[in-house]
Amino acid sequence: MTDKVVMNEEEADEVPLAAIKDVAFFNDLEEIRTESETIVNDLLQDGASPEEVIEIEHFFACTDFNKLEKFVVEIDGIFGENIDIGDAEETEDVDGSTIFTVDFASWHKIDADEIMQEIEKFIPVCNQYDVVYDSWGTQLDDEEDLEEDETAPGDK
């Protein structure tokens, strides 16, 4: 029997965090790079400008709050004011067990290499504290949505 959980992307969301015995195996930089390139390509195909600076939200999870807290302190020491660290949250995993999550926000051009440079600094610290890197995401505002937001309620 192996300590490694091998899964495809769809299965990854269904595996309880406690089942991941080898966090370093799970936090595979090549897979993260491939996923990052896919996300960036999708954003660009949807019309985003590669020069646009966007908020990137990185997601992390751990079964041990104390380890997550130490991870956050170390990341804060590495990045300082270059990232915005969210509050750690207690949540329920897919199997009903308790896990702890945190997210970090940073700002980058829509460029996989630039985003990966940051992720490559996260991963060794993740592995040191048994924290799973659970990908990144962003939300682009459509110009139409922005125009609607700027319209006063009585003007519609």
Side-chain angles (χ1 to χ4, degrees), residues 15-31:
V15 173
L17 200 56
I20 300 170
K21 303 298 181 198
D22 186 347
V23 172
F25 178 79
F26 189 86
N27 290 334
D28 182 282
L29 278 171
E30 287 309 310
E31 286 186 32

Side-chain angles (χ1 to χ4, degrees), residues 31-45:
E31 286 186 32
I32 295 169
R33 175 171 291 286
T34 299
E35 182 180 350
S36 295
E37 289 170 352
T38 300
I39 293 169
V40 166
N41 288 334
D42 288 348
L43 290 169
L44 295 174
Q45 285 179 352

Side-chain angles (χ1 to χ4, degrees), residues 105-135:
S106 57
W107 294 262
H108 296 281
K109 289 182 180 177
I110 303 174
D111 179 279
D113 290 331
E114 184 176 320
I115 295 165
M116 281 304 300
Q117 286 176 5
E118 185 171 67
I119 294 169
E120 288 168 355
K121 293 178 184 173
F122 291 148
I123 296 302
V125 185
C126 285
N127 294 343
Q128 178 181 347
Y129 292 105
D130 295 324
V131 173
V132 168
Y133 180 77
D134 196 25
S135 192

Side-chain angles (χ1 to χ4, degrees), residues 12-153:
D13 290 335
E14 300 301 320
V15 173
L17 200 56
I20 300 170
K21 303 298 181 198
D22 186 347
V23 172
F25 178 79
F26 189 86
N27 290 334
D28 182 282
L29 278 171
E30 287 309 310
E31 286 186 32
I32 295 169
R33 175 171 291 286
T34 299
E35 182 180 350
S36 295
E37 289 170 352
T38 300
I39 293 169
V40 166
N41 288 334
D42 288 348
L43 290 169
L44 295 174
Q45 285 179 352
D46 287 344
S49 165
E51 296 303 311
E52 181 179 0
V53 176
I54 60 171
E55 181 179 5
I56 301 293
E57 197 168 5
H58 300 276
F59 305 100
F60 304 88
C62 187
T63 58
D64 183 323
F65 181 80
N66 291 326
K67 287 182 178 183
L68 186 68
E69 189 174 47
K70 290 175 183 176
F71 165 75
V72 167
V73 169
E74 187 157 337
I75 291 295
D76 187 42
I78 293 169
F79 289 94
E81 294 182 14
N82 293 324
I83 61 170
D84 198 12
I85 300 173
D87 293 332
E89 296 183 17
E90 182 178 318
T91 190
E92 189 174 292
D93 205 351
V94 295
D95 66 350
S97 64
T98 299
I99 62 170
F100 304 93
T101 62
V102 68
D103 59 89
F104 302 160
S106 57
W107 294 262
H108 296 281
K109 289 182 180 177
I110 303 174
D111 179 279
D113 290 331
E114 184 176 320
I115 295 165
M116 281 304 300
Q117 286 176 5
E118 185 171 67
I119 294 169
E120 288 168 355
K121 293 178 184 173
F122 291 148
I123 296 302
V125 185
C126 285
N127 294 343
Q128 178 181 347
Y129 292 105
D130 295 324
V131 173
V132 168
Y133 180 77
D134 196 25
S135 192
W136 64 270
T138 190
Q139 189 167 12
L140 299 178
D141 291 321
D142 292 337
E143 284 184 38
E144 188 176 294
D145 290 343
L146 289 174
E147 289 172 12
E148 286 179 20
D149 290 345
E150 293 171 2
T151 306

